[in-house]
Amino acid sequence: MHVTQVTITIVVVPQIEPLAPYRSRIRSTSTTTKAIVQVATDEGISGLGEANFNFVEGVSGRRMQAEAQSWLTGRDPLRIHEFHQECPLETRLKSGVEIALWDILGKSTGKSVSDLCGAALSKMLGGDPVEEVEAAACMGIQSYELAGELAHYYVEQGFSTLKTKAGSDMQEDLEMVRGIRDAVGDRLKLRIDPNCGYSRKQSAELAQRLEEYDLEYLEQPLPDHPLEDAVWLRSQSKTPLALNESVTDPASVNRILEMGAADFILPDTHIAGGILPCLEIGWICQAARVPCIMHCGHDLGPKTAAMIHIAAALPSYSLANDTTYYGLESDILTTPLRLQRGKFAVPSGPGLGIELDKELLQRYCVEC
């Protein structure tokens, strides 16, 4: 089998209430921008992938398609390890192509990606086959009042875990957390993400003041480097610390764990380069007994499906994984992924277990 064609389509999909407008410390947004990757082969098997290009300037699907087509044509799509060793593509684009290759591999063997990735490992460790993956609802920065209202909404929708953006102002963060706790008590596990918004001193003060609210974790309040700052921060408070921006590949996770810089690790396919690096990160964390959580970037169906398969395959992804999937106007799949009571059903078909809706792709494309 070899690759005959790569097609990349840039799409912009609106987000809806209660997700939109989604405010972080950096910006507010009501759309998500993605590169949808289709890889065709000479045996008639094709794969579907997705790369995150939110807030990236100068995105050109035509340029990326030409680069991917030039390098990938004629290559064996099933040699994913070799792909990672040799691929010269930019990491975001590489991740979208790599997800499509896993889709092809699964379809060629008649197995789902999660089965290929190691669901058998869960069985060996004494677990039952995974049919659902828990999701954490994500929301932007909110006022005390609106945070409480939305917390009620997420509880009613069946979510067990809520993650909020933060980082513009410490008092605003604390009021938002207080609003959630006053509204729903401990019915939601709570995480906040300041996106590297605070200094060492500010991060320590925030972590200490958050102790009374019993957070599941505080995510990356500090810049991604130096890691010594994260080690120091863990010594200053009982609030657990998670790292995301510091997690770029398996080697970065090794450094984080060797230094004792985090209680939780959050990888993402578009940062790490695809499914395989996130699996490797999961294996590393499993050995270290440190939980992993899949991060999201306002993902559509292909990237969300990849996240679900990764989390279903490895027991290290044992906590609720980030999602904003519930806040899309529409997906670009023929059948949207099933998210009920805060849990995703693991797609059972071969590959990613999803199918592209070409009419929806055309509706949302901005460069076809």
Side-chain angles (χ1 to χ4, degrees):
M1 184 187 295
H2 64 265
V3 173
T4 57
Q5 186 175 1
V6 181
T7 305
I8 296 178
T9 307
I10 305 299
V11 298
V12 177
V13 176
Q15 296 169 336
I16 59 175
E17 293 183 346
L19 184 70
Y22 192 88
R23 178 185 159 218
S24 72
R25 75 173 186 86
I26 302 167
R27 61 179 67 85
S28 291
T29 182
S30 295
T31 61
T32 186
T33 302
K34 301 292 178 173
I36 303 302
V37 180
Q38 300 173 73
V39 178
T41 71
D42 63 323
E43 295 189 11
I45 300 174
S46 61
L48 184 61
E50 174 188 333
N52 180 15
F53 282 92
N54 287 322
F55 321 123
V56 178
E57 299 293 332
V59 175
S60 170
R62 294 184 178 89
R63 184 189 70 244
M64 291 189 290
Q65 179 171 304
E67 293 172 354
Q69 177 91 12
S70 174
W71 186 78
L72 204 60
T73 300
R75 292 180 178 268
D76 185 344
L78 308 184
R79 301 172 70 91
I80 295 177
H81 279 278
E82 184 177 293
F83 170 85
H84 277 280
Q85 292 169 351
E86 300 178 2
C87 180
L89 301 174
E90 183 272 333
T91 303
R92 290 174 186 259
L93 174 57
K94 176 182 177 181
S95 73
V97 171
E98 194 251 24
I99 290 171
L101 300 187
W102 277 98
D103 196 25
I104 292 171
L105 177 59
K107 291 174 179 175
S108 71
T109 60
K111 296 182 178 180
S112 71
V113 169
S114 54
D115 281 338
L116 292 170
C117 290
L121 176 61
S122 296
K123 298 175 188 178
M124 287 192 320
L125 293 173
D128 295 324
V130 176
E131 298 180 352
E132 293 183 321
V133 166
E134 192 168 1
C138 297
M139 77 177 191
I141 299 171
Q142 305 290 351
S143 66
Y144 171 92
E145 292 81 8
L146 192 51
E149 292 176 17
L150 290 173
H152 275 296
Y153 169 82
Y154 290 120
V155 168
E156 291 168 357
Q157 294 300 306
F159 286 97
S160 68
T161 307
L162 176 62
K163 170 177 162 178
T164 78
K165 287 299 178 182
S168 290
D169 177 85
M170 189 183 306
Q171 193 58 42
E172 179 182 52
D173 296 346
L174 292 165
E175 283 295 293
M176 176 175 57
V177 169
R178 187 170 68 86
I180 294 166
R181 284 289 184 245
D182 286 351
V184 300
D186 61 0
R187 285 183 286 172
L188 286 171
K189 298 174 186 175
L190 185 56
R191 314 161 173 174
I192 75 167
D193 176 15
N195 285 115
C196 308
Y198 293 121
S199 67
R200 269 175 49 125
K201 182 179 178 181
Q202 290 171 325
S203 296
E205 180 183 351
L206 177 62
Q208 290 161 6
R209 295 178 69 181
L210 286 169
E211 287 179 359
E212 65 177 292
Y213 298 108
D214 192 27
L215 263 63
E216 187 168 40
Y217 56 72
L218 170 62
E219 180 180 329
Q220 198 84 46
L222 292 157
D224 55 349
H225 285 93
L227 288 176
E228 287 80 2
D229 285 352
V231 176
W232 173 82
L233 179 58
R234 289 188 69 205
S235 72
Q236 301 302 301
S237 170
K238 297 177 182 178
T239 301
L241 179 66
L243 293 183
N244 166 235
E245 281 89 345
S246 301
V247 177
T248 56
D249 55 17
S252 70
V253 174
N254 273 323
R255 289 192 294 272
I256 290 167
L257 297 180
E258 287 170 358
M259 294 179 64
D263 299 283
F264 300 92
I265 298 292
L266 283 91
D268 198 318
T269 55
H270 78 274
I271 299 298
I275 290 173
L276 182 58
C278 291
L279 293 173
E280 293 173 347
I281 289 169
W283 293 327
I284 292 167
C285 289
Q286 183 70 24
R289 298 183 179 180
V290 172
C292 286
I293 299 94
M294 284 300 297
H295 183 267
C296 82
H298 300 288
D299 304 326
L300 304 181
K303 189 167 176 285
T304 300
M307 176 272 284
I308 295 169
H309 283 292
I310 292 167
L314 295 182
S316 49
Y317 291 95
S318 57
L319 303 179
N321 300 276
D322 292 353
T323 192
T324 55
Y325 190 76
Y326 61 90
L328 296 173
E329 177 183 274
S330 178
D331 199 356
I332 45 87
L333 303 182
T334 56
T335 303
L337 298 167
R338 184 167 65 84
L339 175 60
Q340 293 182 338
R341 306 303 297 170
K343 293 183 178 180
F344 280 108
V346 179
S348 58
L352 292 173
I354 59 176
E355 184 179 344
L356 179 66
D357 187 315
K358 294 182 180 179
E359 290 185 3
L360 287 171
L361 183 72
Q362 199 70 25
R363 179 191 302 176
Y364 292 112
C365 79
V366 294
E367 186 181 342
C368 305

